Amino acid sequence: MREQLATMTTEAYRPELADIDRLPTLDIARFMNAEDATVTTAVAARLPEIAAAIDGVTARMARGGRLVYAGAGTAGRLGVLDASECPPTFNTDPAQVVGLVAGGPTAVVSAVEGAEDREDAARADLDALALTADDVVVGISASGRTPYAVAAVRHARALGALTVGLSCNEGSALAAAADHGIEVVVGPEILTGSTRLKAGTAQKLVLNMISTITMIKLGKTYGNLMVDVRASNEKLRARAHRIVSLATGARDESVETALADNDGEVKNSILTLLASVDAPTAARLLQDAHGHLRKALEAAAA
């Protein structure tokens, strides 16, 4: 294991930072900020691989598949975070985008020692989901060697699911095991081996792309408006009103009426106003268009 770590970029020691603990706070903050600025460049270098993976995810989810993230430690928690944001943002079923972290729910808030080494746990966690060939599993590991993440990808691929391996080292076992390997090499951390820093930032950026662009492709947005937002609290209800207003240019009274007639559904309300149809017709048009508002508007105008 020591020999393996010695070869990984994410674990490399930076002797020029040996006295970082003696620097003024502002100097350390400036250095960290400069380091973080390099992450977007590293992600940009992998955009073709990221886009190819997203197209694969979109195709599987369009036919009813699920997006499953699997990782340990920070990587696993980032997957759980991304998955948990999809229902309120895109009105997805909680079972559509799932985050698995080595060690289970307890590991989201505290370390579970040894969990990342359990390949059998990765296979069991996926089997509990009754994985199918329509699903996608994204293994996340900064090192690219985490047994839990690698085993999850290998097991998912054996079951016919599409697989993505997201790591921050070149030539990783995780990328090699996946249909789509994405290796975002951000270089050594300012604290040796602390991959919650640049590597974690890179992983978050890529996961943002995977979920957001997939949802855009699935018709969860209208332009850059979140038309599938779930209005479950006062802030989101106000946001729903604003989205309908921005999309249609309608007066407040008309927006309120449309939202009331469509049980608060933003997409339906926009269609009601722009196509001058009633709520049942809007629901039917959207169903026929598989939830794509633009397609429903085209059908209404035909």
Side-chain angles (χ1 to χ4, degrees):
M1 175 62 70
R2 288 196 299 271
E3 292 177 357
Q4 265 192 325
L5 293 180
T7 65
M8 294 179 182
T9 303
T10 51
E11 298 289 333
Y13 173 65
R14 301 176 65 172
E16 76 274 19
L17 298 179
D19 291 326
I20 193 172
D21 55 331
R22 297 181 178 181
L23 295 177
T25 301
L26 182 56
D27 288 352
I28 300 174
R30 283 175 174 155
F31 190 84
M32 284 190 70
N33 182 243
E35 288 284 292
D36 289 341
T38 68
V39 175
T40 55
T41 301
V43 173
R46 293 292 177 260
L47 289 179
E49 293 97 323
I50 294 168
I54 291 169
D55 283 340
V57 174
T58 302
R60 299 289 175 118
M61 293 196 75
R63 60 184 197 236
R66 296 164 293 177
L67 173 59
V68 180
Y69 296 125
T74 297
R77 294 182 192 107
L78 288 171
V80 170
L81 173 62
D82 198 74
S84 67
E85 292 290 349
C86 286
T89 307
F90 302 111
N91 200 18
T92 58
D93 187 290
Q96 278 185 285
V97 185
V98 180
L100 299 177
V101 58
T106 301
V108 174
V109 294
S110 60
V112 177
E113 298 301 328
E116 72 171 50
D117 295 327
R118 292 196 55 194
E119 297 182 11
D120 61 322
R123 292 189 288 268
D125 288 346
L126 289 178
D127 287 342
L129 295 177
L131 211 65
T132 75
D134 286 336
D135 296 323
V136 182
V137 172
V138 180
I140 315 165
S141 165
S143 68
R145 60 148 299 277
T146 305
Y148 182 91
V150 176
V153 164
R154 287 175 176 161
H155 188 56
R157 194 170 184 181
L159 294 172
L162 184 71
T163 55
V164 180
L166 173 58
S167 72
C168 295
N169 280 292
E170 287 184 325
S172 67
L174 182 59
D179 296 295
H180 295 276
I182 302 171
E183 296 175 328
V184 183
V185 181
V186 294
E189 304 286 2
I190 70 163
L191 298 181
T192 306
S194 182
T195 53
R196 71 183 184 86
L197 301 176
K198 288 190 298 183
T201 300
Q203 290 167 342
K204 181 67 169 71
L205 291 176
V206 175
L207 296 181
N208 282 351
M209 289 183 182
I210 291 174
S211 58
T212 302
I213 300 174
T214 295
M215 295 303 164
I216 290 172
K217 294 285 188 177
L218 291 174
K220 295 289 186 177
T221 67
Y222 179 63
N224 64 341
L225 296 174
M226 297 183 293
V227 291
D228 258 339
V229 66
R230 179 175 295 168
S232 57
N233 58 41
E234 186 175 350
K235 181 190 76 172
L236 292 178
R237 282 189 287 273
R239 180 178 291 168
H241 186 286
R242 184 166 184 268
I243 289 170
V244 176
S245 179
L246 288 170
T248 64
R251 297 169 64 89
D252 285 348
E253 297 82 359
S254 298
V255 171
E256 289 293 344
T257 299
L259 284 167
D261 290 346
N262 289 280
D263 296 323
E265 293 291 339
V266 172
K267 192 182 290 184
N268 300 52
S269 300
I270 293 171
L271 184 55
T272 296
L273 290 167
L274 290 182
S276 298
V277 297
D278 59 19
T281 301
R284 177 182 57 77
L285 287 168
L286 281 167
Q287 183 176 15
D288 292 345
H290 304 288
H292 289 257
L293 179 55
R294 287 196 188 277
K295 292 179 180 178
L297 284 166
E298 291 170 2

